[in-house]
Amino acid sequence: MKKTRFILIALSIIAFSVNLTGNSVPAEKDSIVSPQFAPEGSDWIGSDIQTIDEYLDQYVRYPESSGKKKHLGTEVVEFVVTTGGQLTDFRVINSLSKAIDQEMIRALSQTQGMWKPGLLNGVPVPMKKEVSLVFVPGDNYNLTEIAKKHLDSGNEALFEKKNPKRALKHFDQAVKIFPYNKDILSLRSLCRYELGDKQGAREDWKRIVDMEIIGEAAQLETGHLIVKMQSLEGYEELSETIGEGF
């Protein structure tokens, strides 16, 4: 039996100014910081390990229960780096399993004090950050092919069979693999809306607005996506209401 493994991709996606209670506050556009480009963003300062990527590579373990169930995809966890370099307010953005959620948070919780707080106008402020890890339960799994199959099946169910419930199941699986792919998120948002889940639809659209798409490993071809989406009954109404609640 091949040893279960995981591939690590740690991506700091975006940072937001938050108040001391950890609750999000409306941030001025200029206060949204990408740690990849902004020197004042919160950053890793672990002593013996140079990057958060290396730390997670060494200390995150693939849970045995998840390996047996062949859970795979990209786990995304958000947290707040306080002004004292502590981590708080962990929130799983893209969950592969409860066991993986717990293992990610366990490993990140061990990095207390290993972070430099972010600065806003030269003043330390709590900031949200994200990291993501790709878990694969073996060597014979091609995530791009798996996601593409789910995307194709979802497109068929949604656009040809007019079955958003079945399509949603496939898009959910595709999002688990590529949570930063805006095309898949858009399709899932539309399915959610047509099924009456307006809040879920808004969350997907807000996610697209908030995040930066950086170096997607595989861009899935979705064809004439917008043209197809416009042919669906709920598209126009969704387009008019996605701004509500932002």
Side-chain angles (χ1 to χ4, degrees), residues 13-119:
I13 301 302
I14 198 164
F16 301 90
S17 173
V18 298
N19 63 22
L20 291 176
T21 63
N23 297 320
S24 297
V25 297
E28 297 294 335
K29 186 174 182 180
D30 290 342
S31 71
I32 298 177
V33 180
S34 170
Q36 187 180 20
F37 301 108
E40 292 189 332
S42 53
D43 203 3
W44 168 263
I45 54 172
S47 56
D48 297 328
I49 301 177
Q50 292 186 350
T51 67
I52 183 62
D53 304 55
E54 293 179 4
Y55 171 84
L56 294 174
D57 191 29
Q58 290 185 35
Y59 291 103
V60 172
R61 299 185 294 269
Y62 197 122
E64 183 178 354
S65 60
S66 292
K68 289 180 178 178
K69 295 179 180 178
K70 302 188 185 304
H71 291 143
L72 55 79
T74 306
E75 178 89 359
V76 182
V77 177
E78 175 190 270
F79 52 89
V80 173
V81 180
T82 70
T83 56
Q86 303 296 309
L87 302 192
T88 185
D89 292 3
F90 294 100
R91 185 167 75 97
V92 177
I93 303 295
N94 199 55
S95 174
L96 303 182
S97 72
K98 288 185 178 180
I100 291 177
D101 296 346
Q102 293 170 356
E103 173 61 12
M104 280 282 291
I105 292 174
R106 180 202 65 78
L108 287 167
S109 296
Q110 302 302 311
T111 67
Q112 302 292 358
M114 298 182 185
W115 296 83
K116 178 183 70 176
L119 300 177

Side-chain angles (χ1 to χ4, degrees), residues 118-156:
L119 300 177
L120 187 61
N121 298 323
V123 179
V125 292
M127 283 190 175
K128 288 183 180 179
K129 289 181 72 73
E130 287 183 8
V131 293
S132 62
L133 285 81
V134 177
F135 289 82
V136 182
D139 295 325
N140 298 321
Y141 291 84
N142 186 315
L143 292 185
T144 300
E145 290 183 0
I146 295 171
K148 184 67 164 59
K149 287 179 180 178
H150 281 298
L151 181 61
D152 290 343
S153 296
N155 281 333
E156 180 182 3

Side-chain angles (χ1 to χ4, degrees), residues 195-212:
L195 292 170
D197 182 10
K198 294 184 179 181
Q199 181 60 34
R202 293 191 190 104
E203 288 175 359
D204 278 342
W205 276 102
K206 187 176 187 301
R207 179 72 178 159
I208 293 170
V209 172
D210 285 347
M211 71 183 179
E212 288 183 5

